[in-house]
Amino acid sequence: MNVILHLGLGSFHRAHLAVYLHELIQSGDTGWQLAGGNTRPDMAETIAALAAQGGAYTLETISPAGEHRYTRITSIRQVIPYTPDLAGLIAQGASSDTKIISFTVTEAGYYLDAQNRLDLATFADLRADLDAARAGQPGSTIYGALTALLRARMKSGAGPVTLLNCDNLRHNGDRSRGGLLQFIELVGDAALLAWVQTNTTSPNAMVDRITPRPTPDVRERVLAATGVDDPAALMGESFIQWVIEDRFIAGRPAWETVGVEMVQSVDAYEEAKIRLLNATHSCIAWAGTLVGYLYIHEGTHDPAIRQMAFDYVTDDTIPVLDTPEKPCPLNLPQYRDVVLDRFGNPAIRDTNQRVAMDGFSKIPGFIAPTIRERLAAGATIDSVAMLPALFLAYLQVWHRGGIPYTYQDQAMDPAVAHAICDAADPVAAFCADAPLWGELAGDARLVDAVRRASARVTAFVAAHPGAGAR
Ligand SMILES: NC(=O)c1ccc[n+]([C@@H]2O[C@H](COP(=O)([O-])OP(=O)(O)OC[C@H]3O[C@@H](n4cnc5c(N)ncnc54)[C@H](O)[C@@H]3O)[C@@H](O)[C@H]2O)c1
Ligand SMILES: OC[C@@H](O)C(O)[C@H](O)CO
């Protein structure tokens, strides 16, 4: 039996990779199965519920037309409980059955700066993992965990393995591989470094399916529809897409038979996804929160917010992704319209809280590249500048304690964020922040555009009925 070991048993993995593998198994191709667990002690209740159900759970999907479907997903055959020494994950990673180690640890879980270097100065958990790895111990970050797993695998002689990143990260395979190799180099384990370089591959992949955080009513609907009371039930949109570069060093499931697109280069797909979907999603979440909406579909149906999202994509993003020198193979206007339709599906009830999170990773990852490329082309950035201006306004509300939910941001240093908001000129302080902007930090063209956009954001908030109360 071939095993895919997945690190990060969050909602998305269970609505995406696990579903494609489930479909393959259902089609009669039973050569692969999943094992998985978390590298941190979170989601304890869900993990325990999954373990109690032998890894099975019910997925509810909802189409734009409102059609509900319920599927018992059974491709996860082993749920590995969290222990600080990661013993279960390491044992599975060192097994010759394991041919792929996949992971979803969020955009903020890679700790890379604008130059793709590990940002040790900012992230204490990365420094702690480095110390642990030097002492031969595993850690909780993806790098600390993979180093421990791959060290054990090298020793066990279990052979090559593919490292498959399933997070929304540009060049996700290449960049997480770069981070891992730097990490092992800093640990000073030359033998492991050489082994990983020769015995692993890291395909880039674009992943897509909106998967909200499961709420209690999902479990209730699943019970009503199937008769099964499933504490690990979850919900996602009916849309699903996965595009992967076909570079698997130790074999792979025949995923192409269940709709996965295996390609040479994922570049065009990931740029479209990150800029037209993820950045636009954040825009709608930040803007919606500012005027009192809780859900993504509410902001998507608000004409002013929809227009901001539409203009960002149309004016500033499509022109840098589809140029005469490098025509985009995808129909980007159509992609934009499909994305806005998906966001507008009221049955999904995806929260602004989930999508607004991690702005300090999403500005550099999803938004700054468009600003950089527009400026390099001598073009205006007024439409894209609305996104950082919305995030700054959002941050100012957070600073005053006015966000109606907990704002989660792994890459944010709260002291830095409060200082930006307290500055005499918050726009200048925000645009000078190097982790957000890299070499663009302090650029006068950025500051001017965000200042103009901030005035438009103020007018947008003021124009919304009831906004003054927030
Ligand atoms: N939910 C979606 O709609 C969706 C769609 C496409 C891609 N994704 C990708 O999947 C990621 C996870 O989304 P989710 O909905 O499963 O979230 P989730 O909160 O359900 O799960 C997050 C997972 O990441 C792990 N994790 C978080 N921070 C970590 C860190 N610093 N180091 C190690 N592990 C860490 C957690 O243990 C957990 O397993 C997203 O950030 C995104 O990159 C999500
Ligand atoms: O933009 C937020 C993401 O989690 C999004 O839901 C996902 O990337 C859709 O595939």
Side-chain angles (χ1 to χ4, degrees):
M1 175 56 67
N2 298 309
V3 173
I4 302 171
L5 170 62
H6 189 82
L7 309 179
L9 276 188
S11 308
F12 176 64
H13 168 69
R14 292 187 293 120
H16 194 257
L17 192 163
V19 173
Y20 279 115
L21 194 63
H22 173 83
E23 286 177 7
L24 192 62
I25 294 168
Q26 293 304 300
S27 76
D29 186 341
T30 56
W32 291 78
Q33 65 183 41
L34 270 160
N38 282 0
T39 66
R40 316 191 310 176
D42 51 7
M43 297 172 47
E45 279 178 29
T46 308
I47 300 278
L50 272 176
Q53 295 174 176
Y57 54 95
T58 308
L59 173 70
E60 174 191 55
T61 55
I62 308 183
S63 74
E67 185 200 357
H68 291 53
R69 296 186 70 172
Y70 298 88
T71 313
R72 192 81 178 156
I73 306 294
T74 56
S75 51
I76 302 179
R77 301 290 162 86
Q78 196 194 348
V79 178
I80 301 173
Y82 171 80
T83 54
D85 61 3
L86 304 187
L89 295 175
I90 291 174
Q92 187 61 57
S95 161
S96 56
D97 288 347
T98 300
K99 303 290 197 305
I100 298 173
I101 300 175
S102 55
F103 37 95
T104 38
V105 296
T106 80
E107 294 84 343
Y110 295 96
Y111 312 99
L112 296 167
D113 66 16
Q115 284 72 47
N116 289 331
R117 303 293 307 169
L118 289 178
D119 189 351
L120 287 158
T122 305
F123 297 107
D125 44 351
L126 196 54
R127 294 194 296 275
D129 267 22
L130 203 48
D131 289 341
R134 284 176 179 141
Q137 302 297 318
S140 62
T141 70
I142 186 66
Y143 304 120
L146 281 178
T147 298
L149 265 66
L150 294 172
R151 215 176 226 164
R153 189 174 182 92
M154 178 177 76
K155 282 197 188 125
S156 73
V161 66
T162 300
L163 307 176
L164 181 58
N165 190 325
C166 301
D167 270 308
N168 289 322
L169 197 72
R170 175 173 291 99
H171 310 323
N172 61 2
D174 294 342
R175 293 184 66 214
S176 52
R177 181 181 189 80
L180 176 67
L181 296 177
Q182 285 170 54
F183 187 89
I184 298 173
E185 210 173 340
L186 289 167
V187 170
D189 191 336
L192 181 62
L193 185 65
W195 188 89
V196 172
Q197 282 168 328
T198 314
N199 289 282
T200 67
T201 52
S202 304
N204 296 308
M206 183 276 256
V207 293
D208 197 2
R209 168 171 259 179
I210 295 173
T211 313
R213 286 191 180 133
T215 47
D217 56 304
V218 175
R219 182 174 172 177
E220 285 161 22
R221 282 199 303 272
V222 166
L223 176 60
T226 67
V228 176
D229 184 21
D230 184 348
L234 80 157
M235 182 263 266
E237 62 174 342
S238 53
F239 182 97
I240 187 166
Q241 191 178 19
W242 196 8
V243 188
I244 320 177
E245 292 178 356
D246 204 354
R247 294 190 276 117
F248 287 74
I249 197 168
R252 63 167 174 81
W255 272 317
E256 68 278 10
T257 63
V258 287
V260 178
E261 295 160 72
M262 307 302 306
V263 297
Q264 282 246 302
S265 164
V266 83
D267 284 7
Y269 299 91
E270 72 180 8
E271 286 304 334
K273 164 78 197 305
I274 283 173
R275 301 198 208 202
L276 272 63
L277 189 152
N278 295 117
T280 311
H281 222 180
S282 301
C283 167
I284 291 170
W286 295 327
T289 301
L290 284 174
V291 297
Y293 299 131
L294 285 179
Y295 297 103
I296 289 293
H297 67 272
E298 297 173 316
T300 308
H301 290 294
D302 180 298
I305 297 177
R306 195 183 181 89
Q307 193 67 49
M308 283 180 213
F310 184 93
D311 290 348
Y312 149 72
V313 173
T314 312
D315 300 346
D316 288 357
T317 305
I318 292 179
V320 293
L321 294 186
D322 187 16
T323 62
E325 303 75 48
K326 203 173 170 207
C328 178
L330 308 180
N331 181 335
L332 295 177
Q334 189 181 59
Y335 194 104
R336 170 199 61 205
D337 296 344
V338 169
V339 160
L340 287 173
D341 279 353
R342 289 167 61 195
F343 291 169
N345 183 347
I348 300 297
R349 293 180 77 76
D350 199 7
T351 58
N352 288 334
Q353 176 177 27
R354 184 187 79 80
V355 178
M357 67 190 272
D358 286 332
F360 273 81
S361 300
K362 290 175 177 174
I363 293 266
F366 299 166
I367 297 162
T370 301
I371 295 183
R372 248 192 321 270
E373 288 160 26
R374 291 284 292 171
L375 289 175
T380 56
I381 55 169
D382 285 337
S383 295
V384 59
M386 286 302 282
L387 277 62
L390 286 166
F391 181 58
L392 174 59
Y394 178 97
L395 215 52
Q396 286 166 316
V397 176
W398 164 83
H399 171 65
R400 296 195 294 273
I403 300 287
Y405 50 76
T406 303
Y407 174 60
Q408 296 165 303
D409 194 326
Q410 293 195 53
M412 176 175 78
D413 178 338
V416 170
H418 283 300
I420 287 173
C421 297
D422 273 333
D425 183 347
V427 169
F430 176 72
C431 294
D433 187 67
L436 282 175
W437 299 107
E439 82 286 355
L440 260 186
D443 187 300
R445 295 165 300 174
L446 173 70
V447 178
D448 289 349
V450 174
R451 203 181 295 291
R452 286 193 300 276
S454 291
R456 298 205 300 279
V457 169
T458 304
F460 152 72
V461 173
H464 266 73
R470 285 176 281 269

